[in-house]
Amino acid sequence: MSKQRPDPPPQQPAGEKKPNAPQAPEAKPKPAKPVKPKVPSPWPWGPFARVLVSLLVAFHVFVLFISPWEIQLRQSIVPMAEPGGPPLDAQGRPIPPQQFDPRTYPAQLPVLPIALTKYLHHYANLIYINNGYDFFSPDPGVSHQIKYEVFNNAGEKLAEGQFPNRREQWPRLFYHRHMMLVEQSRDPMAAGQGWETAIAERLLEKHDGDRVRLVMIRHHLLTPQQVKDGGRIDGPTTYEEIGVMNHNRTRPPATEQAPAGGTP
Amino acid sequence: MTTIVASTRNYFAELWRAWNNFWFTPTDPATLALIRLLAGGMMLYTHFIWSFDLAGFIGRDGYTPVEFLQAMPGREWSVWSIFDWIGPNWLLWTVHILALGVFLCLFLGLFSRIAAVLAYLLAVSYVQRVTPGAYFGLDKTNCMLAMYLMLGPCGARYSLDRLWRLRRGDASEPAPSTAANISIRLMQLHLCVVYFFSALAKLEGNTWRLGTAVWWAASNYEYQSLPLTWLADWPILIAMFTHATVFWELSYPFLVWNRFTRPWMIWMAVAVHGGIALFMGMITFGLAMIFANLSFLKPETVRRWVDPVASRVSLAIVGKKVG
């Protein structure tokens, strides 16, 4: 496509008469127009290639734009109620958003982004431009940790550790992957999906254990004033235990699994 | 009436010419080649790190089992990964080692175009395997750069491919390329979309609008790599950094195209992403975003900086100087 194409033949100038048009006898012959020197096209690709590629890039950039637009608005959907304050119940009290009756207050949907991405999102998925680009948004939040202890059937501790932990996970990117693992497992979208069970099963498999105990921890942030008052951002009071899970192995150890067909 | 028609026709003719100039003017592939070198190195490192717990993160029964991800609401057929079909550990490691070889080829510029296509497909496979799971902005940037690298002659300079041609006696300069220009333009536009929507998302947050968000990000112990709690004594600095980040991201897609404001936008990008790299432990992400911003560098600027180094490498390897 990058090969130089021959220049297109010069077009007939607008207004020039056709050669076979009948000439009026009294008409004076027009002076011949000076022939313009050929100017090479600054674009090596021919018009057809340029139009085709233009359509493709326009489509691509369009999807590039609508994907984060739709993804960011997914979490901004609010009930169809008068702006400016929550609707009131029969007693005049504000109705909390979670108690809105969807028949009375259906969701206000971002109609346009939804319509645009209805089919185009498959293109975005396929080439991985299905991103929201919402870094540290809408607000930077607290961090979470998972502490684990793995035991065998006799109750002996086989392993213990923490995700994330700078001493256990190095280099920094490896630490960051563990941090993301914990944060994304705490995402409200993942709630109730049994993610902790999946993490527990993996830890049992890794350490060849029979039981695992997971402790979920929230690491709170301090205000500037709390830090000025001597608080440490890694002080013990900043950690809050938010859940404990004991899990027994459900998956058979890898050594006991039947070999998959076609594999040695 | 004729004037209106003529003016309209002229407008669209000018628009078409400007569009063609923007997309189809051939450019020296130096900028694209530099981004290939840097992004290839970053992708090699990024994916090498999975080796520390490959089965845990990428394996079929890892922390996010394939069945678990496929059962998640909203997961569709178009979200794909080759790792969805890879079961046995030996096969996983084989594919992983081959993938590292591909990323190495991209970094060195060996079979560059093929390596770029494979690197893109592999990078998407890795990130879709850990989405959700352990992905973050680094993976998005890696995939973005790989996607556009494969569209242009990314190995035309600063590559083993170039040295190989030189060794065979082909000392000609790489020709200006339309495909290189399209690749760079797409990178630039993609970057504008990233910053624009990043700013819009921040505007939904009270802390970003009030000017305190940088504190909450910087005082997060899990992120912090260098002490930043001294900022507690400097609320004015916190507010300045926060507001500057939002206004910079919001204005980037508009001001980066103007030659007078472009240096401000790019240096601000270096400052913001450099700060994230140094203080918040995300060295890889910070660098990858700086690499993406290099797409706004003119090829002449890239050559002025990189050619002297490339010439020395070339002299050492094939005994001839080349860019």
Side-chain angles (χ1 to χ4, degrees):
Chain A
M1 275 181 108
S2 60
K3 284 180 184 170
Q4 182 83 34
R5 295 265 179 108
D7 289 328
Q11 290 184 346
Q12 196 173 29
E16 193 174 324
K17 283 183 179 175
K18 290 178 185 173
N20 56 354
Q23 292 261 346
E26 66 273 16
K28 289 179 184 175
K30 283 190 176 178
K33 286 191 176 178
V35 178
K36 285 182 184 174
K38 274 189 180 177
V39 181
S41 165
W43 314 298
W45 289 7
F48 177 75
R50 279 184 280 128
V51 168
L52 183 67
V53 174
S54 294
L55 292 173
L56 291 174
V57 295
F59 172 76
H60 176 78
V61 173
F62 179 68
V63 181
L64 207 57
F65 186 86
I66 61 170
S67 295
W69 189 23
E70 190 270 335
I71 290 169
Q72 286 193 5
L73 288 173
R74 274 181 206 169
Q75 294 170 10
S76 307
I77 295 170
V78 293
M80 186 71 81
E82 183 185 56
L88 307 177
D89 62 12
Q91 284 76 42
R93 292 170 303 193
I95 305 173
Q98 60 273 23
Q99 290 176 15
F100 284 174
D101 183 353
R103 287 165 299 183
T104 317
Y105 301 105
Q108 293 190 49
L109 296 173
V111 182
L112 188 58
I114 287 177
L116 291 173
T117 53
K118 187 175 179 184
Y119 299 105
L120 297 180
H121 75 280
H122 288 303
Y123 173 76
N125 286 344
L126 281 168
I127 66 168
Y128 194 64
I129 54 171
N130 52 350
N131 300 303
Y133 308 120
D134 44 357
F135 310 115
F136 291 101
S137 304
D139 292 301
V142 300
S143 289
H144 297 86
Q145 297 174 344
I146 295 179
K147 284 186 177 175
Y148 66 86
E149 293 171 305
V150 181
F151 304 91
N152 62 12
N153 271 333
E156 296 164 338
K157 191 188 289 184
L158 301 175
E160 64 180 328
Q162 177 185 308
F163 291 170
N165 186 315
R166 284 172 204 176
R167 292 187 197 89
E168 293 174 22
Q169 294 116 30
W170 186 90
R172 179 77 188 203
L173 179 56
F174 190 50
Y175 162 86
H176 205 82
R177 294 294 185 191
H178 286 82
M179 186 174 159
M180 290 298 108
L181 177 69
V182 176
E183 291 306 323
Q184 287 167 34
S185 72
R186 304 304 311 166
D187 191 291
M189 298 286 281
Q193 303 287 321
W195 201 326
E196 290 85 359
T197 308
I199 293 173
E201 281 290 339
R202 168 62 196 158
L203 288 169
L204 287 171
E205 191 176 317
K206 186 177 181 180
H207 299 289
D208 200 19
D210 298 298
R211 186 173 66 84
V212 65
R213 181 173 186 269
L214 299 183
V215 181
M216 270 63 85
I217 293 164
R218 181 172 292 141
H219 190 181
H220 291 281
L221 301 170
L222 296 184
T223 64
Q225 190 57 49
Q226 286 173 313
V227 170
K228 284 164 78 172
D229 292 343
R232 286 181 56 87
I233 57 172
D234 60 340
T237 55
T238 58
Y239 296 93
E240 179 198 2
E241 196 176 294
I242 55 173
V244 178
M245 188 181 99
N246 285 290
H247 178 78
N248 292 314
R249 187 168 198 143
T250 55
R251 240 187 262 157
T255 49
E256 292 175 19
Q257 285 178 13
T263 57
Chain B
M1 194 64 184
T2 316
T3 314
I4 293 173
V5 172
S7 300
T8 310
R9 192 191 295 150
N10 279 345
Y11 167 78
F12 282 106
E14 285 290 318
L15 187 66
W16 178 236
R17 192 173 302 131
W19 173 272
N20 278 287
N21 282 339
F22 183 84
W23 288 105
F24 301 111
T25 304
T27 188
D28 187 312
T31 307
L32 192 69
L34 174 64
I35 293 174
R36 187 219 77 242
L37 180 75
L38 299 171
M42 181 57 74
M43 278 189 267
L44 176 63
Y45 178 73
T46 301
H47 294 89
F48 168 72
I49 294 300
W50 290 124
S51 313
F52 287 73
D53 192 0
L54 188 67
F57 284 100
I58 310 295
R60 196 174 177 83
D61 295 321
Y63 294 115
T64 49
V66 170
E67 286 74 19
F68 171 79
L69 286 186
Q70 287 176 342
M72 285 194 89
R75 186 87 172 184
E76 294 178 282
W77 61 266
S78 47
V79 177
W80 63 277
S81 166
I82 58 165
F83 296 106
D84 289 353
W85 294 287
I86 291 176
N89 218 24
W90 65 267
L91 185 57
L92 178 67
W93 271 99
T94 306
V95 171
H96 181 61
I97 289 167
L98 287 174
L100 293 182
V102 167
F103 294 125
L104 181 65
C105 283
L106 183 67
F107 170 51
L108 298 175
L110 184 63
F111 310 117
S112 309
R113 204 65 179 271
I114 299 167
V117 174
L118 292 175
Y120 166 65
L121 295 173
L122 286 163
V124 172
S125 278
Y126 276 92
V127 67
Q128 301 268 43
R129 176 66 192 87
V130 293
T131 305
Y135 79 103
F136 69 110
L138 169 66
D139 305 294
K140 298 176 188 180
T141 313
N142 278 343
C143 288
M144 173 183 82
L145 295 177
M147 177 163 58
Y148 301 127
L149 283 174
M150 71 177 180
L151 299 181
C154 59
R157 290 187 184 276
Y158 318 134
S159 65
L160 289 183
D161 286 344
R162 174 106 165 97
L163 294 184
W164 180 247
R165 284 196 297 274
L166 192 70
R167 198 181 168 87
R168 287 187 307 177
D170 179 5
S172 60
E173 279 288 300
S177 160
T178 306
N181 186 50
I182 293 173
S183 302
I184 289 292
R185 291 301 193 192
L186 284 169
M187 262 183 217
Q188 293 171 338
L189 281 167
H190 198 139
L191 205 52
C192 288
V193 169
V194 170
Y195 286 130
F196 183 64
F197 279 98
S198 179
L200 288 190
K202 286 180 174 65
L203 289 176
E204 283 204 30
N206 286 330
T207 59
W208 285 107
R209 283 184 291 153
L210 294 171
T212 57
V214 163
W215 168 259
W216 300 114
S219 66
N220 187 314
Y221 179 73
E222 273 66 38
Y223 274 107
Q224 201 176 78
S225 49
L226 285 175
L228 272 176
T229 43
W230 55 268
L231 278 173
D233 291 317
W234 297 92
I236 192 77
L237 272 185
I238 295 170
M240 277 172 60
F241 290 156
T242 307
H243 294 311
T245 303
V246 175
F247 286 125
W248 163 68
E249 283 192 337
L250 200 57
S251 58
Y252 186 98
F254 309 102
L255 298 184
V256 78
W257 302 103
N258 181 286
R259 66 193 173 100
F260 293 109
T261 48
R262 186 180 307 136
W264 293 94
M265 292 293 110
I266 303 300
W267 281 114
M268 185 69 183
V270 172
V272 170
H273 296 302
I276 289 172
L278 279 176
F279 292 100
M280 299 189 66
M282 288 187 280
I283 302 164
T284 44
F285 173 58
L287 285 177
M289 288 302 286
I290 290 172
F291 297 162
N293 272 278
L294 295 182
S295 61
F296 281 98
L297 287 189
K298 288 180 181 172
E300 306 88 74
T301 311
V302 170
R303 291 197 63 186
R304 196 163 60 242
W305 291 352
V306 185
D307 275 13
V309 182
S311 289
R312 283 168 188 264
V313 174
S314 161
L315 193 63
I317 295 176
V318 293
K320 293 175 187 172
K321 279 190 172 184
V322 68

